[in-house]
Amino acid sequence: MDQSVAIQETLAKEENCIIAVQCVVLLVDNVTESRLLGLVEFKGEHALFVYTHRRMAITAADVSLEDIIPVSHDFAVVEVSSPDDLAVVGADTRVRVSFQEEELELRLPFGSHSRLFLSEVNRAWSDVCKSPSQVPKFEWLNKYHKSTRGQGAKQAFSPLGATLTKISQNRKTEKSSRGDKKGSVEEEKSSNSGVEKSRAQTRPESPGKASVEGRDDLVRSSSHTPSNKSQMLAMPQFGLRDNLIRGEMMKNEELYTYLECFSFFLGTYNVNGQTPKQSLRPWLSCTPSPPDMYCVGFQELDLSKEAFFFNDTPKEHEWMRAVSEGLHPDAKYALVKLVRLVGIMLLFYVKKEHAEFISEVEAETVGTGIMGRMGNKGAVSIRFRFHNSDICVVNSHLAAHIEEYERRNQDYKEICSRLQFRHLDPTQPPLTIMKHSMVLWLGDLNYRISDLDVDHVKDLITKKEFETLHTYDQLKRQIDEEAVFVGFVEGEIDFQPTYKYDTGSDKWDTSEKCRAPAWCDRILWKGKNIRQLHYQSHMALKTSDHKPVSSMLEIGIKIVNDEAYKKTFEEIVRTIDKLENECIPSVTLSQPEFLFKDVKFMQHQAETLSLYNDGQVPCQFEFIQKLDEPTYCKPWLTANPPKGFLTQGGRVDIELEVFVNRSTAPELNSGRQQIEDILVLHLERGKDYFVSVSGNYLPSCYGTSIHTLCQLREPVQDMPQETIRELIEMSGDENAVTTEKPLDIPKEIWMMVDHLFRNAIKQEDLFQQPGLRSEFEEIRDCLDTGMPDSLPGSNHSVAEALLLFLDALPEPVVPYSFYQQCLECCSNASQCKKVISMLPQCHKNVFNYLAAFLRELLKNSENNRLDVNMLATIFAALLLRSHTKQDLAEKRKTQEFFHHFLVQDLS
């Protein structure tokens, strides 16, 4: 979640929070406290804002400004993560921030976001250094001086001053005793539970305050240079020659690598919001020999509503401790990474002797709730490089209920497309799950057993006829149909279903719903040189209504042979040096023109452009901007990847993707823009190639104005585009003469609201549970073509289609010109009514129609579980939009304004 939004809401206008990161402040006596840091810019000056927070920062109400640190000539940030830390695990990044005479140590989460934060800070500091004679005044910080505990910008660390003094004293003591402590630290690292502790207690020696003139880079690292060749290959390279060498090395890696097998323990457990009540040894230590790696996933860690908001649920620490204590007793492990999204958590442990060969550790999350924003369902993932192999581990919790297998399929596809890792090289496109050579996928996938009644299922289980029962398994059927997990393998299931049991027992569900048993909890993999040693459930654990599942995989990992690596490297350098002087890069394109037929609103289309390197030398390619254009392509088009490297004789497939959203639809609906573009593909040291993209867009009611739709009695796709263009041009003219009386409201809004009124007035979780993307497309087509006569899809899909319709309006229901008036009168119900009465007639009709419908929903709140505040929050954001970014105060005023129309009849 982007916590910079919460910071932005605390700032004055024209102040901008560029980026935010949550961190841990290291205090005296090894006490730690969580803080939120925001890099704030105002008219070219920058400052770090330090906030305390009660929970995951969503709005300004969740944070409190504590300190401000100006980025001036007296400012410095130095990375102080020690070589020992980085050699053992992919440790969090420890940095020391200094300003004037004060210092503070922070621990930033390991990963690309922290690197991006530090690079932005570095950029801000560099701007200061470019003009050493111009001293920033930071006068804009004076107002915070009055409101932040009486501390001004130049006293940024004053609230923590006493603590900082103790930190400095503590550091001096550690420095003097470092030699004595080193042995004890190594000893601590040999225990399962001591790794994190030793990292927190051992502070590296301070490199001292850096001078402004003497630094090439603000963020300096005291970390060791990677010794293993896999890390050297993965380090970002920016020169063409370096990229050529790197590409050729990767192409020829079989010449200097060999396979060595390592054991990976994969485990998944839906704990149903419970706390650990038993040892996890029967699950995690079920093998005679200790595994080399552990990837342990949990779902439903915490089921409370607070869990969605609070960043630090106690359940996280309780289950992490239970896992650490349950690891195999015959080996010592280090925790490499933990990642959590609400109740979905993944932990990655590695044997201590392998830890130095782990690199490029990244973690990402994606929620798959309504409109892609809710995190109660979704996935967490960790990717890493082990020796010379790239591995991605995914832990997912997909949609529930037996009939929702299509929604589970959609969740899987969204996770694959939306979960992306940043490259070490920031110029490279993000890395998706499927771009890894090995993918290990575990979790509560929630696929059920279909077409059998409960008694028949239980009878087959009693007879241990698991193979027969498996033929009715939804996941198996969907894989067989290639709907999901294409290319993945799952081992033979010879254990009974892992869901649903009465908690604390081995009895099947005896509740009123009496759910049929199912294999909800699964483990699959994709990649070469992988062999499964076991796949089983663990009936001894009775904490939850699920049973945990484990799989032991033996994976062939590519190891670098140093001598062969050196020989290959030298030969490639000699060859490239010769080729660079003799040859010009050249490629062949699979085709120069691409046609996208019948492009529709929010419906993805893709075509593949293949590049073949037919030259005598590897080449680097990139799509470049055309003259006087801001980007290399139109906003509805993307090329993935937009740049890359191609070895001699190699081939790369580039996806040309067309996707029309709310920002691009209005111009295409009106005909002012067409599906037409020309891409310029540039070869470094070579020539340019031109790729033509064209197509036809089917106009949609989505992205068309209310005024225009009220003039259309026929579906939008039955109208000539010239007519639509003329109506759009007339929409800004209130005096324009029309041949016939316009509709009171767009028929499309009426169809969706009427459907919900007749079918969903008592629907539980309406406007909260997402619908199916395929059903949205059917609803959109129905609205745009008039066929069929009634709307298809579930109530949830129709509700989401209505929200997307309102979100896509080029002019909101309350036009932009009335927005400020709404804010000013938000506390006065009669004045709010007066503003609405002044709206253009069609906008006023839509507003009153929607408000009346929502009031009817609230009359049935006992059944649909909706409340006035929830509806005011959801719909105010869509009906009253601003041209500029709303701050917290504006959002609250829009909600207060719309609230009046939900609690009483103002019509």
Side-chain angles (χ1 to χ4, degrees):
M1 182 175 289
D2 183 7
Q3 298 187 78
S4 65
V5 175
I7 293 178
Q8 187 66 49
E9 292 179 351
T10 69
L11 304 177
K13 288 195 174 182
E14 297 188 44
E15 295 175 4
N16 180 38
C17 181
I18 298 171
I19 189 171
V21 65
Q22 190 171 325
C23 68
V24 172
V25 179
L26 306 178
L27 304 177
V28 70
D29 297 327
N30 299 316
V31 175
T32 62
E33 290 183 7
S34 182
R35 293 290 188 275
L36 186 62
L37 296 184
L39 178 63
V40 178
E41 182 271 339
F42 177 75
K43 295 184 177 180
E45 295 183 352
H46 296 79
L48 281 181
F49 280 45
V50 183
Y51 293 81
T52 58
H53 58 108
R54 295 180 290 108
R55 58 184 185 184
M56 175 69 79
I58 299 171
T59 69
D62 303 325
V63 299
S64 178
L65 181 61
E66 182 178 58
D67 295 296
I68 299 176
I69 310 166
V71 179
S72 67
H73 294 295
D74 297 322
F75 173 87
V77 172
V78 179
E79 185 177 341
V80 293
S81 297
S82 71
D84 287 341
D85 283 350
L86 295 175
V88 175
V89 293
D92 290 347
T93 303
R94 296 221 335 245
V95 299
R96 183 171 300 127
V97 179
S98 61
F99 176 72
Q100 295 181 349
E101 300 302 319
E102 304 290 0
E103 290 184 346
L104 188 66
E105 283 199 14
L106 311 170
R107 190 167 71 225
L108 306 181
F110 187 90
S112 56
H113 186 71
S114 292
R115 289 202 307 273
L116 185 60
F117 178 84
L118 291 174
S119 69
E120 290 291 345
V121 174
N122 180 24
R123 186 177 304 166
W125 181 87
S126 298
D127 290 343
V128 174
C129 294
K130 288 176 183 176
S131 304
S133 60
Q134 298 179 4
V135 180
K137 296 180 180 179
F138 297 106
E139 292 176 351
W140 57 286
L141 297 178
N142 290 340
K143 56 183 174 293
Y144 298 106
H145 171 81
K146 299 173 183 176
S147 59
T148 312
R149 303 186 188 181
Q151 306 299 330
K154 292 188 177 181
Q155 295 171 298
F157 289 115
S158 298
L160 299 176
T163 305
L164 284 161
T165 302
K166 293 178 182 178
I167 287 178
S168 299
Q169 293 171 351
N170 190 34
R171 189 180 299 122
K172 290 175 184 177
T173 304
E174 288 173 355
K175 182 177 178 180
S176 63
S177 60
R178 192 166 307 279
D180 298 332
K181 233 181 172 183
K182 187 173 182 180
S184 63
V185 170
E186 291 300 322
E187 187 177 332
E188 275 189 288
K189 286 179 181 175
S190 68
S191 68
N192 291 343
S193 60
V195 177
E196 294 293 332
K197 183 179 177 183
S198 68
R199 197 184 312 147
Q201 288 183 344
T202 309
R203 285 174 172 59
E205 189 170 333
S206 170
K209 186 176 179 181
S211 67
V212 173
E213 294 79 15
R215 293 188 301 182
D216 296 324
D217 196 297
L218 175 67
V219 182
R220 301 179 302 161
S221 174
S222 57
S223 61
H224 67 299
T225 302
S227 57
N228 58 309
K229 302 301 185 294
S230 63
Q231 286 176 309
M232 290 178 67
L233 281 175
M235 293 172 69
Q237 312 286 339
F238 301 102
L240 173 61
R241 185 173 182 275
D242 289 333
N243 275 332
L244 294 176
I245 294 171
R246 181 170 177 260
E248 287 298 301
M249 289 296 292
M250 294 176 69
K251 179 182 176 182
N252 293 281
E253 67 176 357
E254 73 278 358
L255 299 178
Y256 58 86
T257 62
Y258 59 93
L259 290 181
E260 184 175 322
C261 289
F262 294 84
S263 55
F264 284 63
F265 180 99
L266 308 181
T268 179
Y269 194 7
N270 182 320
V271 297
N272 193 32
Q274 304 296 312
T275 55
K277 298 181 176 67
Q278 302 171 263
S279 168
L280 301 184
R281 281 268 168 98
W283 171 37
L284 301 177
S285 300
C286 62
T287 57
S289 302
D292 295 299
M293 312 272 179
Y294 275 98
C295 301
V296 183
F298 292 95
Q299 306 83 39
E300 295 191 356
L301 204 71
D302 194 330
L303 294 176
S304 66
K305 288 185 177 180
E306 292 76 16
F308 184 77
F309 297 103
F310 284 79
N311 191 44
D312 295 317
T313 170
K315 301 282 182 68
E316 174 183 307
H317 304 289
E318 292 169 1
W319 282 104
M320 182 180 71
R321 183 167 59 250
V323 170
S324 294
E325 294 171 353
L327 301 179
H328 205 291
D330 294 342
K332 307 303 176 186
Y333 295 91
L335 174 63
V336 179
K337 192 67 183 171
L338 178 155
V339 59
R340 180 172 64 83
L341 173 68
V342 190
I344 311 169
M345 182 169 76
L346 178 62
L347 302 103
F348 174 34
Y349 291 84
V350 59
K351 269 185 181 178
K352 182 193 171 216
E353 57 265 33
H354 301 319
E356 64 179 298
F357 302 106
I358 298 286
S359 62
E360 295 183 47
V361 181
E362 297 286 348
E364 293 293 344
T365 67
V366 61
T368 57
I370 193 164
M371 299 185 89
R373 296 170 188 170
M374 299 289 284
N376 53 326
K377 293 293 189 289
V380 299
S381 182
I382 297 172
R383 61 93 56 205
F384 59 94
R385 175 173 280 248
F386 181 44
H387 287 282
N388 217 47
S389 295
D390 292 315
I391 301 172
C392 181
V393 186
V394 182
N395 172 26
S396 67
H397 191 190
L398 308 185
H401 307 303
I402 188 169
E403 70 280 1
E404 294 285 358
Y405 69 90
E406 289 185 353
R407 176 67 212 185
R408 288 186 272 281
N409 293 356
Q410 180 174 303
D411 285 352
Y412 164 80
K413 292 170 184 175
E414 284 195 21
I415 290 165
C416 290
S417 63
R418 291 173 50 207
L419 202 151
Q420 300 182 336
F421 302 93
R422 292 187 182 93
H423 271 286
L424 282 175
D425 180 353
T427 66
Q428 294 300 310
L431 195 64
T432 60
I433 292 172
M434 297 306 170
K435 291 293 178 68
H436 294 80
S437 57
M438 298 179 195
V439 181
L440 313 177
W441 198 304
L442 54 94
D444 180 357
L445 306 188
N446 249 326
Y447 287 92
R448 310 301 174 90
I449 292 171
S450 297
D451 303 329
L452 293 177
D453 60 39
V454 176
D455 292 335
H456 195 175
V457 172
K458 291 180 179 178
D459 182 57
L460 289 173
I461 294 170
T462 301
K463 296 176 181 178
K464 297 188 181 300
E465 295 183 11
F466 300 133
E467 187 175 351
T468 301
L469 186 61
H470 192 221
T471 62
Y472 296 91
D473 176 70
Q474 289 178 344
L475 179 57
K476 172 178 167 50
R477 290 179 173 182
Q478 295 305 301
I479 290 176
D480 290 345
E481 294 175 11
E482 297 189 344
V484 291
F485 291 102
V486 176
F488 279 80
V489 179
E490 182 181 23
E492 180 184 352
I493 297 178
D494 59 0
F495 52 89
Q496 71 182 46
T498 55
Y499 175 84
K500 176 184 181 173
Y501 297 86
D502 287 342
T503 301
S505 75
D506 293 334
K507 296 179 181 178
W508 298 115
D509 180 25
T510 59
S511 69
E512 184 179 344
K513 294 183 178 179
C514 192
R515 292 181 179 86
W519 285 294
C520 290
D521 311 284
R522 311 290 274 268
I523 299 172
L524 304 93
W525 70 89
K526 183 178 184 179
K528 298 179 181 179
N529 304 310
I530 301 176
R531 181 169 71 97
Q532 185 169 254
L533 303 180
H534 85 236
Y535 190 24
Q536 65 190 67
S537 65
H538 299 268
M539 299 296 293
L541 273 70
K542 308 178 192 297
T543 300
S544 172
D545 56 355
H546 290 247
K547 299 297 182 183
V549 173
S550 70
S551 171
M552 183 74 82
L553 300 180
E554 183 181 76
I555 301 180
I557 298 296
K558 291 177 285 189
I559 311 292
V560 174
N561 178 303
D562 287 355
E563 186 175 334
Y565 175 92
K566 182 180 179 182
K567 180 180 178 182
T568 305
F569 182 85
E570 291 172 348
E571 289 177 355
I572 287 173
V573 169
R574 281 195 297 269
T575 302
I576 286 180
D577 284 347
K578 181 179 179 182
L579 288 173
E580 270 193 318
N581 294 326
E582 297 176 355
C583 303
I584 296 175
S586 172
V587 297
T588 299
L589 278 60
S590 59
Q591 60 189 91
E593 299 178 352
F594 290 86
L595 177 65
F596 290 86
K597 296 182 179 179
D598 297 340
V599 177
K600 298 179 181 180
F601 177 80
M602 281 189 67
Q603 186 160 324
H604 176 271
Q605 282 197 39
E607 295 286 344
T608 301
L609 166 65
S610 297
L611 303 184
Y612 173 71
N613 187 346
D614 58 359
Q616 300 301 308
V617 63
C619 66
Q620 195 161 293
F621 67 87
E622 179 180 4
F623 289 100
I624 60 173
Q625 297 169 225
K626 297 180 285 293
L627 189 64
D628 298 326
E629 294 194 9
T631 58
Y632 71 85
C633 67
K634 297 285 179 64
W636 41 262
L637 176 65
T638 55
N640 186 25
K643 61 173 69 174
F645 175 82
L646 198 53
T647 58
Q648 182 184 356
R651 166 181 162 154
V652 64
D653 289 335
I654 299 172
E655 290 293 309
L656 300 180
E657 302 172 350
V658 171
F659 186 77
V660 176
N661 58 20
R662 66 174 186 175
S663 64
T664 52
E667 293 292 296
L668 290 166
N669 283 333
S670 70
R672 287 191 290 260
Q673 288 286 335
Q674 306 291 332
I675 301 294
E676 291 179 356
D677 200 5
I678 295 178
L679 301 179
V680 181
L681 181 69
H682 174 72
L683 294 190
E684 188 78 19
R685 296 179 57 250
K687 68 175 185 176
D688 292 342
Y689 299 78
F690 298 93
V691 180
S692 172
V693 176
S694 61
N696 68 297
Y697 178 70
L698 298 179
S700 175
C701 60
Y702 284 82
T704 300
S705 71
I706 291 175
H707 182 277
T708 301
L709 291 172
C710 283
Q711 305 295 326
L712 297 178
R713 292 184 175 272
E714 301 300 322
V716 66
Q717 287 184 17
D718 287 352
M719 304 297 293
Q721 191 155 53
E722 184 61 34
T723 302
I724 297 174
R725 184 186 299 114
E726 290 174 0
L727 290 173
I728 289 173
E729 291 171 354
M730 289 168 51
S731 65
D733 183 4
E734 285 293 313
N735 300 316
V737 179
T738 55
T739 56
E740 55 183 322
K741 183 179 182 296
L743 300 171
D744 290 335
I745 63 172
K747 57 190 175 301
E748 295 83 3
I749 293 180
W750 176 84
M751 289 181 68
M752 289 185 280
V753 171
D754 183 65
H755 177 98
L756 295 173
F757 181 77
R758 288 185 289 104
N759 300 290
I761 204 75
K762 297 182 179 180
Q763 177 71 58
E764 189 174 314
D765 295 331
L766 197 68
F767 297 116
Q768 297 172 80
Q769 181 175 321
L772 284 172
R773 177 56 60 88
S774 59
E775 290 184 351
F776 163 74
E777 292 172 357
E778 292 174 0
I779 293 166
R780 177 208 58 213
D781 290 348
C782 175
L783 296 174
D784 289 342
T785 65
M787 297 180 292
D789 293 334
S790 59
L791 290 178
S794 68
N795 292 335
H796 292 300
S797 293
V798 175
E800 190 166 21
L802 176 60
L803 296 180
L804 289 169
F805 180 93
L806 297 173
D807 190 48
L809 287 171
E811 180 89 5
V813 175
V814 177
Y816 292 120
S817 59
F818 290 85
Y819 177 76
Q820 195 59 40
Q821 289 176 257
C822 294
L823 299 185
E824 292 169 357
C825 71
C826 65
S827 59
N828 187 311
S830 61
Q831 288 296 315
C832 293
K833 177 185 176 183
K834 185 176 180 181
V835 172
I836 295 303
S837 70
M838 295 187 295
L839 300 185
Q841 189 63 47
C842 55
H843 285 255
K844 177 170 62 177
N845 293 343
V846 170
F847 183 94
N848 289 329
Y849 182 63
L850 290 172
F853 165 62
L854 296 178
R855 289 197 296 271
E856 289 300 316
L857 282 181
L858 290 171
K859 291 177 183 177
N860 293 271
S861 58
E862 288 187 7
N863 300 99
N864 57 39
R865 300 201 304 181
L866 292 169
D867 65 66
V868 65
N869 292 325
M870 183 185 300
L871 289 179
T873 300
I874 294 171
F875 280 86
L878 299 171
L879 303 181
L880 288 87
R881 302 202 307 261
S882 171
H883 268 309
T884 58
K885 190 174 182 179
Q886 292 176 316
D887 60 25
L888 177 62
E890 288 183 8
K891 288 180 181 178
R892 287 176 175 168
K893 286 180 179 179
T894 61
Q895 292 163 18
E896 184 179 0
F897 180 95
F898 191 56
H899 189 278
H900 294 301
F901 296 87
L902 298 181
V903 296
Q904 54 183 315
D905 190 349
L906 296 178
S907 59

